[in-house]
Amino acid sequence: MPSSNLKLWTQVDHYLADLLAPADDALTAAIEANHKAKLPAIDVPPLLGKFFALLIQISGTKRILEIGTLGGYSTTWMARAIPADGKVVTLELDPKHAEVARANLTRAGVIGRVDLRLGPAIESLKALHKSHAEPFDFIFIDADKKSLPEYLDWSLKLAHKGTIIIADNVVRDGKVIDAKSSDENIQGARGFLELAASHPRLSATAIQTVDRKGHDGFAFAVVTS
Ligand code: SAH
Ligand code: DHB
Ligand code: MG
């Protein structure tokens, strides 16, 4: 990627985010705690967190499923956007990430609205399904990318008509167009998009993004039945 573009995208992202999605003490402290604990800096950018918060508000979402917690940065944006009796169930494989997230979510004052489940996401999704968990209104898929199609299948089992499903990182510097890619993350993104495009219960689109993380994008689907 031309680095001059990344620099401009980063500057514009900071300009817009400082105006429209400014960090408060808890969000700033979370990013600092993640850095200190050496978590990868792959949290959603602030403007995307704010976009989720707006979607959650306009859809009247109360129950959120997140696949891939990391340090709970996206979780915080989402948990703040639901009513006090709402819930974010967030799934994380790495115990260290979960520990950092728990501290960040506690500091942000939203831990009471968050149910953080440790383990491979597929196992947690199976357990949610088996326990007849109440369906989710909003689902954010942001864990390993190779499993994206599988996560979409499970999301559908845990959804209702009108549920919003978002998958992060489906563009990946444009690599998504390489049908022959040997990268399992790219094949995961392509599988997700193909499934979303053809599934009888889904209507979907995808939005490219440029920001401080470079060129990427997210898929956005609504469950239609
Ligand atoms: N949503 C976060 C970023 C998530 S990064 C935010 O925007 O703030 C992706 C996370 O998914 C990492 O913490 C990683 O440990 C986790 N992950 C990877 N594979 C997983 C799996 N199989 N099950 C659950 N979590 C997984
Ligand atoms: C990666 C994962 C993410 O969720 C993200 O937003 C950016 C990068 C990664 O695994 O490289
Ligand atoms: Mg992501």
Side-chain angles (χ1 to χ4, degrees):
M1 177 203 322
S3 59
S4 58
N5 284 351
L6 181 58
K7 190 167 168 243
L8 182 60
W9 298 339
T10 300
Q11 287 172 340
V12 174
D13 190 21
H14 281 281
Y15 166 72
L16 294 172
D18 288 350
L19 263 180
L20 300 165
D24 59 10
D25 289 349
L27 290 172
T28 302
I31 295 297
E32 278 172 11
N34 291 357
H35 182 73
K36 218 175 154 190
K38 299 193 162 60
L39 269 50
I42 54 174
D43 332 77
V44 292
L47 292 165
L48 193 55
K50 178 72 178 278
F51 182 58
F52 293 171
L54 296 176
L55 284 175
I56 287 161
Q57 279 160 13
I58 61 179
S59 60
T61 285
K62 284 179 94 168
R63 283 180 56 78
I64 298 173
L65 173 63
E66 176 176 61
I67 308 178
T69 315
L70 190 65
Y73 180 84
S74 51
T75 322
T76 299
W77 274 104
M78 296 191 291
R80 285 176 168 178
I82 52 174
D85 62 342
K87 192 63 100 182
V88 185
V89 176
T90 184
L91 314 180
E92 176 54 54
L93 175 66
D94 187 318
K96 188 175 106 179
H97 295 184
E99 190 190 317
V100 175
R102 193 169 290 287
N104 287 338
L105 294 162
T106 303
R107 195 187 306 104
V110 295
I111 193 73
R113 266 177 248 172
V114 176
D115 175 355
L116 173 53
R117 301 192 178 192
L118 189 60
I122 294 289
E123 298 310 315
S124 298
L125 291 164
K126 282 183 188 164
L128 279 165
H129 188 243
K130 214 171 170 184
S131 70
H132 305 286
E134 204 186 313
F136 295 94
D137 311 308
F138 186 98
I139 301 178
F140 177 44
I141 308 177
D142 193 24
D144 57 303
K145 311 306 170 186
K146 69 170 186 305
S147 309
L148 273 168
E150 236 181 314
Y151 293 150
L152 182 53
D153 276 333
W154 280 103
S155 295
L156 280 162
K157 291 191 219 290
L158 296 164
H160 57 72
K161 183 170 187 248
T163 295
I164 294 166
I165 301 177
I166 291 178
D168 200 17
N169 315 114
V170 298
V171 173
R172 296 264 171 170
D173 285 320
K175 293 191 192 90
V176 68
I177 64 175
D178 182 5
K180 294 195 175 76
S181 175
S182 56
D183 182 339
E184 57 187 3
N185 298 315
I186 301 303
Q187 292 304 340
R190 290 178 62 89
F192 181 100
L193 293 164
E194 284 158 27
L195 186 57
S198 62
H199 200 287
R201 285 184 67 206
L202 288 171
S203 181
T205 188
I207 307 289
Q208 294 190 74
T209 53
V210 290
D211 54 40
R212 66 191 68 180
K213 289 169 76 183
H215 174 205
D216 210 328
F218 60 90
F220 179 103
V222 175
V223 179
T224 53
S225 64

